[in-house]
Amino acid sequence: STKENNCTENEACTGAVLGPPCDRTFNLDGMIFWNDISGLSIEGPLRNGGYNVEQLEQIWRAAHATNAAVIMYWWQPDMLPVEFRDSDYAFERVRFPPPSHECAKNQPTEEEICSTNLTVRRGDEAGACDQGIVTLKSILVRKIGEDTRKENNEAKRSPAFDILSTLKVEMKDMREILSKGVRGADLRESVCDWVFRN
């Protein structure tokens, strides 16, 4: 921490937000700046002011152990929010303006988010909305669908496309699977068990 954001040493502290590594492509600088969230600095060791994933997790665990306040970037689904779900350190989502196609078109590129230039990292105000849910299912199903349609012989055609195109894994399902992992179960077995039951 710096003198400005260390609230133990400075009564007029500003605080800090712990940002992601730039490969997470989340425009934290722009979100804070364009949504008028004042008083938070982003001062991590990476070139974009972020932290790597291991550092973020260590900081969250240290804050929990010392009962310290933390504001940081994280994502779901992931095991860390599931692990702390029923504790005093349960993750609370910060809501930004909802995503739209127009906003997504104006968000900075990964190269811009990774820039050492703060103005470049902030991007345009029109791109200061929350990230939409990234779904790999549609990409996966589309590719398998293309490959499946190439096979004219129905006996040789894989059933994967039909199965995957109807598969739905909701957030509650992901939490159930990850909860088993937090309790020590093998995640692969948890996934297979969920697929079998659903």
Side-chain angles (χ1 to χ4, degrees):
S1 69
T2 65
K3 185 176 182 191
E4 289 75 27
N5 65 33
N6 185 330
C7 296
T8 305
E9 296 178 11
N10 178 6
E11 288 182 23
C13 67
T14 56
V17 60
L18 308 178
C22 51
D23 66 355
R24 294 292 170 170
T25 64
F26 182 73
N27 182 18
L28 188 61
D29 289 290
M31 300 300 290
I32 289 172
F33 181 78
W34 295 115
N35 288 296
D36 296 321
I37 301 171
S38 59
L40 292 177
S41 60
I42 302 172
E43 301 170 2
L46 301 180
R47 70 177 180 255
N48 68 332
Y51 291 84
N52 68 41
V53 174
E54 293 79 20
Q55 290 170 321
L56 289 170
E57 184 173 340
Q58 288 172 359
I59 291 167
W60 191 265
R61 291 184 185 285
H64 175 254
T66 60
N67 200 30
V70 169
I71 299 174
M72 74 177 209
Y73 164 88
W74 205 258
W75 58 92
Q76 288 196 42
D78 186 71
M79 287 181 67
L80 192 64
V82 172
E83 180 180 340
F84 286 93
R85 180 178 52 208
D86 297 322
S87 75
D88 290 342
Y89 271 74
F91 282 60
E92 293 291 332
R93 180 172 166 77
V94 174
R95 303 236 179 244
F96 289 108
S100 67
H101 291 293
E102 185 64 29
C103 181
K105 286 191 313 189
N106 287 289
Q107 289 181 331
T109 64
E110 182 176 338
E111 183 179 321
E112 292 167 333
I113 290 171
C114 292
S115 172
T116 56
N117 182 315
L118 178 60
T119 304
V120 171
R121 285 198 315 263
R122 285 178 179 160
D124 189 275
E125 184 175 9
C129 63
D130 211 343
Q131 276 187 311
I133 295 172
V134 179
T135 175
L136 296 178
K137 179 184 172 190
S138 60
I139 297 166
L140 179 67
V141 170
R142 184 172 40 242
K143 175 68 176 135
I144 291 174
E146 290 168 3
D147 292 348
T148 301
R149 286 187 287 277
K150 288 178 187 174
E151 178 57 64
N152 292 325
N153 183 341
E154 194 164 333
K156 291 183 178 180
R157 193 174 299 153
S158 169
F161 175 71
D162 295 330
I163 292 168
L164 288 174
S165 62
T166 60
L167 181 68
K168 280 192 176 179
V169 183
E170 296 179 7
M171 187 60 80
K172 66 179 177 54
D173 301 313
M174 291 298 297
R175 285 191 188 112
E176 176 189 332
I177 292 167
L178 293 172
S179 290
K180 290 180 180 180
V182 167
R183 294 191 303 268
D186 179 71
L187 282 177
R188 183 182 173 128
E189 284 182 29
S190 297
V191 170
C192 291
D193 179 58
W194 183 89
V195 171
F196 177 77
R197 288 183 291 109
N198 292 283

